[in-house]
Amino acid sequence: MIRKRYPAWILAGSVLLTGCNSDDSSDDAAAYTPAQRCESLKDQALDETQLTSSTLETTGDNGVQACHVAGKINERTSPVDGQTYAIGFELWLPVDWNGRFYYQGGGGTDGAIQSVDPAMLADGWAVVVSDSGHSNDTNVSELAGTNEFGLDPQARLDYGYNGPAQATLKAKALTESFYDDAIDYSYFQGCSEGGREGLMFSQRYPTYFDGIVAGNPGMDLPKAAVAEAWDSQAFAEAATQTTEFGNPDLASAFSDDDLSTIGDAILDACDADDGLVDGMVFDPQACDFDPSALGPGGTGDLTAVQVTALQKVFGGARNSLDEPLYAGWFWDPGVAAQGWRIWKTGPLSPDIPGNSGLNVTLGGGSLPFVFTTPPNSMTNGTAITTGSQVEDANPLDQPGMSGYGGAFVQWILGFNMDTDAPKIYATDDTYTEAAMTFMGTSSTDYAGFRDHGSKLLVYTGQADPVFSSKYHLQWYNNLVSANGGLAATQSFARIFVVPGMNHCGGGPSTSQFDSLDALQQWVEKDRAPERITATAPEGTPWPGRTRPLCAYPQQAHYTGSGDIEDASNFECRTP
């Protein structure tokens, strides 16, 4: 149960209003009203910070009163592109506070202030959100679209780590000033880029938060972006059609029926490995699926070039020396879900002309402009296309269509794994921190985090098409080795794998679960999560099914009796 409390200044105002009748006392009391207190925050001096508004607002169906603060940190003009940048943030401070601070993580390449869940405010959380140092509304260009910030060295660093860190410090100071009280517990929660931000905090700023949820984290995101290029090139080789822009149509590499056939074949090969045939693969490391069984020498459902594409993609990105550049992927039936397709091959929407998969739109823009040094440098070219540079982020010339119309496809298909991939580690006189420095999040140095008593809960979708759960588990195994073994590591960090789940949700999976509550129980009551009950939503083959998500390396196993749709009939067991 979340404790609510009224700030000292509200209680003091109440005493003055009920206990005194003099005009002077009434004037003093008025200064303690929530609206007056909120308004006064604008006068608070914070280094390099401008508070642009501070007003008491009523939000949500429950009519929650909260002080809504908006501000900008380190507003400046870039010496590189001449644009104005700032770390934008918004902070919501409910009058009825529970003593807790919550940072809501971002997504994609950030650049926007996200909406805050009114339920969080109704439960009394002070909540901050940030754009991480650039704006998708103003920091744009014809050349780079919303990836323009990648041309400014400081905006790169703000996106990687400094923006969230500064927003946290300013928001915490404002929170304690508003309530005239210390924060009891601080939490961070995010998925995707937000998950990467959570790992970043746990590694760079280990004392900022008592608890962090990092969902499907974009760990070492530049490496994942290289893998997106690798995957796109593999699918391009299997494409049977071209787009109106003259590029291979990645979506034509595999039809929906093809992906369903692959998903079914994975189930046939591996579903029973965890002890129960239930349409889910809980032991992917035991899954010995070979896509060639579906090729010309097997069932004939796939062509030889399709089999080769699958082998290349699931084997992971490599250079010509056969050195791994990123992890491979688990064979999981979630490959048949739309949440997998919209990333890997597209289409995101059949109404968008050209390739619209997220690997060549969202990922296609971040790799040349944000993760490559120098940005948008000429690729050295692959066998698919010759080297090129991005010339126009919006060839469709339509509002909101940056990245579409084949804007980045030629560059991605020309990306060379030998000569272009190393540029994520490169620096020069202008860009003095490499992308893998400001975006890297695979450190295993957790001494500060552990000694602070903080807790990290990571979850990863086994069928995530953009951030490999294999990569996440490789990091966790390294974390265990570097921190005294499994038991010692689980005292501060645990990872949970969600079978069937795509990126931050979706897929044939039990993808609905309360990771924040599990984290709170761990932080505040020392109840470490051995298992988290998860539910399958509507749209899955078994809506309402529950399963335990088990702390890795344990996996869910059926006990042998009882309803297989009920998590209570499963135990967590080490395979």
Side-chain angles (χ1 to χ4, degrees):
M1 179 178 180
I2 295 179
R3 174 176 61 86
K4 297 291 185 70
R5 70 185 185 199
Y6 289 100
W9 49 266
I10 290 182
L11 296 177
S14 175
V15 170
L16 286 171
L17 286 171
T18 58
C20 302
N21 295 316
S22 71
D23 291 339
D24 289 343
S25 295
S26 296
D27 290 341
D28 290 340
Y32 289 113
T33 65
Q36 294 265 348
R37 187 73 177 188
C38 182
E39 176 71 19
S40 71
L41 283 182
K42 285 195 297 184
D43 299 326
Q44 180 161 331
L46 294 171
D47 291 343
E48 300 181 327
T49 303
Q50 176 188 359
L51 299 182
T52 54
S53 65
S54 184
T55 58
L56 192 72
E57 299 180 14
T58 301
T59 66
D61 295 336
N62 296 328
V64 175
Q65 280 194 315
C67 179
H68 179 201
V69 184
K72 296 184 291 184
I73 306 168
N74 190 27
E75 188 172 29
R76 60 192 171 78
T77 300
S78 168
V80 177
D81 66 0
Q83 296 203 8
T84 299
Y85 289 90
I87 302 165
F89 72 96
E90 292 187 10
L91 174 65
W92 292 82
L93 301 164
V95 171
D96 194 3
W97 185 42
N98 66 14
R100 295 171 177 85
F101 176 86
Y102 176 84
Y103 191 124
Q104 177 179 301
T109 49
D110 287 332
I113 302 291
Q114 298 185 9
S115 299
V116 171
D117 184 357
M120 293 292 292
L121 302 181
D123 285 340
W125 293 80
V127 182
V128 66
V129 290
S130 171
D131 63 12
S132 292
H134 60 276
S135 169
N136 292 337
D137 293 327
T138 59
N139 299 131
V140 296
S141 71
E142 181 179 347
L143 172 68
T146 55
N147 300 288
E148 174 66 20
F149 76 95
L151 300 180
D152 180 72
Q154 183 58 48
R156 285 182 166 204
L157 307 188
D158 287 344
Y159 171 54
Y161 58 88
N162 185 60
Q166 291 299 316
T168 299
L169 293 176
K170 309 307 184 190
K172 282 189 171 184
L174 289 166
T175 298
E176 296 188 336
S177 176
F178 180 71
Y179 296 116
D180 194 22
D181 204 351
I183 296 168
D184 290 339
Y185 297 101
S186 295
Y187 292 91
F188 178 98
Q189 184 176 36
C191 196
S192 189
E193 162 59 15
R196 186 203 67 85
E197 291 166 356
L199 292 180
M200 177 276 294
F201 273 117
S202 71
Q203 295 166 18
R204 284 184 180 265
Y205 308 101
T207 64
Y208 279 24
F209 293 95
D210 301 298
I212 293 173
V213 173
N216 287 70
M219 179 181 289
D220 293 344
L221 217 162
K223 284 187 176 182
V226 168
E228 288 180 296
W230 168 272
D231 292 352
S232 296
Q233 292 177 12
F235 291 126
E237 295 281 12
T240 59
Q241 301 175 29
T242 58
T243 72
E244 61 191 79
F245 304 100
N247 300 312
D249 184 355
L250 305 187
S252 69
F254 291 90
S255 68
D256 287 344
D257 286 343
D258 290 336
L259 295 180
S260 292
T261 296
I262 297 166
D264 289 342
I266 293 171
L267 283 176
D268 289 344
C270 306
D271 190 357
D273 290 345
D274 55 22
L276 178 68
V277 176
D278 59 352
M280 305 177 79
V281 175
F282 273 84
D283 191 3
Q285 299 190 66
C287 183
D288 188 23
F289 174 71
D290 183 356
S292 63
L294 298 176
T299 63
D301 290 299
L302 301 179
T303 65
V305 291
Q306 286 178 312
V307 170
T308 298
L310 288 176
Q311 290 170 332
K312 289 186 67 175
V313 168
F314 280 82
R318 293 178 175 272
N319 61 22
S320 63
L321 298 177
D322 203 33
E323 297 168 333
L325 304 178
Y326 190 67
W329 311 80
F330 286 125
W331 294 108
D332 186 284
V335 67
Q338 283 299 305
W340 191 89
R341 171 182 276 284
I342 64 174
W343 278 95
K344 292 290 195 185
T345 66
L348 182 64
S349 167
D351 299 326
I352 300 176
N355 285 293
S356 60
L358 293 174
N359 274 9
V360 294
T361 53
L362 178 61
S366 60
L367 185 54
F369 288 103
V370 186
F371 303 148
T372 292
T373 299
N376 196 27
S377 54
M378 173 77 73
T379 72
N380 285 273
T382 68
I384 297 177
T385 67
T386 57
S388 64
Q389 286 179 287
V390 178
E391 298 179 355
D392 184 357
N394 189 0
L396 297 178
D397 197 26
Q398 297 177 18
M401 299 302 288
S402 176
Y404 297 103
F408 309 129
V409 172
Q410 285 287 347
W411 194 92
I412 291 297
L413 296 186
F415 189 84
N416 189 292
M417 298 298 155
D418 290 333
T419 54
D420 291 327
K423 294 174 184 176
I424 66 174
Y425 299 96
T427 62
D428 62 20
D429 290 342
T430 302
Y431 306 94
T432 58
E433 285 194 37
M436 275 300 294
T437 300
F438 65 78
M439 294 295 290
T441 45
S442 57
S443 172
T444 58
D445 181 0
Y446 270 75
F449 189 82
R450 179 195 61 225
D451 293 347
H452 186 255
S454 300
K455 310 299 181 185
L456 174 65
L457 191 159
V458 181
Y459 65 84
T460 174
Q462 195 166 279
D464 188 328
V466 61
F467 302 135
S468 171
S469 56
K470 267 193 176 182
Y471 195 79
H472 295 151
L473 293 183
Q474 287 173 6
W475 163 77
Y476 190 78
N477 288 332
N478 292 337
L479 188 71
V480 168
S481 297
N483 287 274
L486 181 62
T489 303
Q490 285 192 329
S491 70
F492 66 88
R494 297 185 178 216
I495 188 169
F496 296 79
V497 180
V498 188
M501 191 173 81
N502 296 151
H503 187 56
C504 295
S509 64
T510 52
S511 58
Q512 294 179 336
F513 50 93
D514 195 339
S515 54
L516 181 59
D517 178 68
L519 182 66
Q520 275 189 266
Q521 297 295 318
W522 193 7
V523 168
E524 299 178 24
K525 299 181 180 179
D526 199 28
R527 297 175 182 169
E530 301 293 341
R531 53 189 278 165
I532 301 173
T533 300
T535 304
E538 294 295 328
T540 60
W542 356 259
R545 164 183 285 183
T546 58
R547 285 288 185 274
L549 305 179
C550 302
Y552 176 83
Q554 293 196 324
Q555 299 166 351
H557 282 261
Y558 182 51
T559 59
S561 62
D563 186 359
I564 68 166
E565 306 302 324
D566 190 342
S568 65
N569 297 314
F570 290 76
E571 62 183 4
C572 290
R573 182 192 309 169
T574 301

